[in-house]
Structures are given as structure tokens and as C-alpha cells.
Amino acid sequence: WQQDVRHIKLSIPSPISYKAGDVACILPQNPPSDISKFTHRLSPQLQSQLHRAIAIRPRRDKSDKSFPKTTTLSTLISDVFDLHSHPEREDLHALSHPSVCRDDVQSSKLLEMSTSRGNALYVDYV
């Protein structure tokens, strides 16, 4: 694990108490135009589920108290997903699921790129 450390000066309207070494977490949001482009590429089944509540289950025993226990796909797309980064292999694996990708050829390529065996394909496409 690596931490990207930067020195940034912020001007804030009200006084906040802090100590040297404190960490500020800045949570960006994806622009509405990018969210719209992304959601229009989803299957109709997923588009119909954008505002339905979904439960978040931690992958490990450790529970991140700051992450919500329930959210919506719409909130994940706007506030959590980085729509401008390269997809990670686990993202490609999730996208290969038949409920997301209806094309068998594309699904197979996504699944292959999600493994180390598909590294050359990943480099070519991503």
C-alpha cells in the first residue's frame, strides 16, 4: 500500500481545529455529463435499478465506519466510481456478468482481461 502525500493549502470559511499530521479526505464527484454518458451505456435492467437501495457488505472483517451500509447504484456512480481511471481487473470481472454484459463475445473478453492470462488483451484494450 502506498500513500500519495501532497502539501496543499486550503482556505476554509470557518475555523477548524487540527494538528500536524491530521489527514483531510476530499471526496470528489463525477460531473453530471459523465454520469449520464456512463448510465446510458448500462443495460436497461441496470438502468431501471439506479435508484433502488442496495446493501453494502464489507469484504473483510474490518468494517469501514465512514462507508454507508446502504446506498444506490446512482450514488456509487456519482460519488464512488472513478469514471476517468482505467478499470481494475476486479471491475472487468464484475462487468463480464451476464446481467451487465449481454454480448457473449464481449463478456468473454472482459472475463479474460480480468485474469493475469489476459494481460496482453488488457493492455491492448485499456
Side-chain angles (χ1 to χ4, degrees), residues 21-125:
D22 281 355
V23 175
C25 183
I26 299 171
L27 303 172
Q29 289 184 319
N30 288 304
S33 60
D34 293 345
I35 294 167
S36 178
K37 286 178 193 173
F38 182 85
T39 56
H40 280 90
R41 293 184 177 267
L42 296 175
S43 69
Q45 179 185 2
L46 280 176
Q47 287 182 19
S48 71
Q49 302 295 315
L50 284 172
H51 302 290
R52 183 174 161 237
I54 45 179
I56 305 292
R57 281 179 262 149
R59 294 176 79 181
R60 299 176 192 93
D61 291 336
K62 299 175 188 173
S63 174
D64 183 355
K65 305 270 190 260
S66 65
F67 204 79
K69 300 293 183 243
T70 60
T71 191
T72 64
L73 180 56
S74 179
T75 300
L76 289 173
I77 293 167
S78 66
D79 300 348
V80 178
F81 295 171
D82 182 355
L83 299 180
H84 294 279
S85 70
H86 294 288
E88 296 192 17
R89 292 185 190 280
E90 64 187 28
D91 300 329
L92 297 173
H93 187 271
L95 289 171
S96 72
H97 193 273
S99 66
V100 180
C101 183
R102 303 236 187 246
D103 183 298
D104 290 341
V105 174
Q106 287 184 3
S107 179
S108 147
K109 284 185 179 181
L110 287 166
L111 193 56
E112 184 179 347
M113 286 190 292
S114 73
T115 66
S116 58
R117 179 181 87 248
N119 192 48
L121 190 61
Y122 179 89
V123 170
D124 287 345
Y125 277 86

